[in-house]
């Protein structure tokens, strides 16, 4: 399900915001975020940070760089967040 969030944000990135769900204050999302981080989230995050920096070199690429930074924020800890 969390990979679908990343995919939906990658397909339709502009005008979409990532925010915390106000209705999930449990510790399960924290545990799952830690597990996600060590299983593969760190590599996805590093990739998006790298491409965000590369895209921000040019003026034309700045919106795409911002998109990659938003994807990086979601890739680091997707549990307990929603797209709006």
């Amino acid at each position: 399900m969390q990979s679908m969030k990343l995919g939906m944000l990658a397909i339709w990135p502009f005008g979409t915001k990532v925010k915390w769900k106000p209705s999930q204050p449990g510790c399960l999302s924290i545990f799952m975020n830690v597990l996600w981080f060590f299983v593969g989230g760190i590599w996805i995050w590093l990739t998006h940070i790298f491409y965000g920096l590369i895209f921000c070199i040019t003026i034309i690429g700045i919106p795409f760089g911002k998109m990659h930074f938003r994807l990086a924020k979601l890739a680091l800890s997707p549990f307990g967040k929603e797209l709006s």
Side-chain angles (χ1 to χ4, degrees):
M1 206 55 194
Q2 306 312 315
S3 296
M4 292 299 291
K5 283 183 191 177
L6 285 168
M8 292 303 296
L9 188 59
I11 289 173
W12 195 259
F14 300 108
T16 306
K17 297 187 190 273
V18 178
K19 59 182 178 178
W20 284 99
K21 285 184 185 178
S23 63
Q24 284 195 344
C27 64
L28 184 61
S29 64
I30 295 170
F31 172 72
M32 293 303 287
N33 279 330
V34 170
L35 184 65
W36 174 273
F37 179 79
F38 287 116
V39 170
I42 184 70
W43 299 112
I44 299 170
W45 178 77
L46 285 172
T47 304
H48 284 299
I49 292 294
F50 173 74
Y51 283 122
L53 291 172
I54 293 296
F55 275 119
C56 284
I57 290 173
T58 65
I59 293 174
I60 295 172
I62 289 175
F64 298 104
K66 286 177 151 179
M67 177 197 62
H68 276 286
F69 292 136
R70 206 169 341 152
L71 281 165
K73 185 170 64 170
L74 183 63
L76 195 57
S77 60
F79 291 92
K81 292 185 180 174
E82 66 181 355
L83 303 176
S84 62

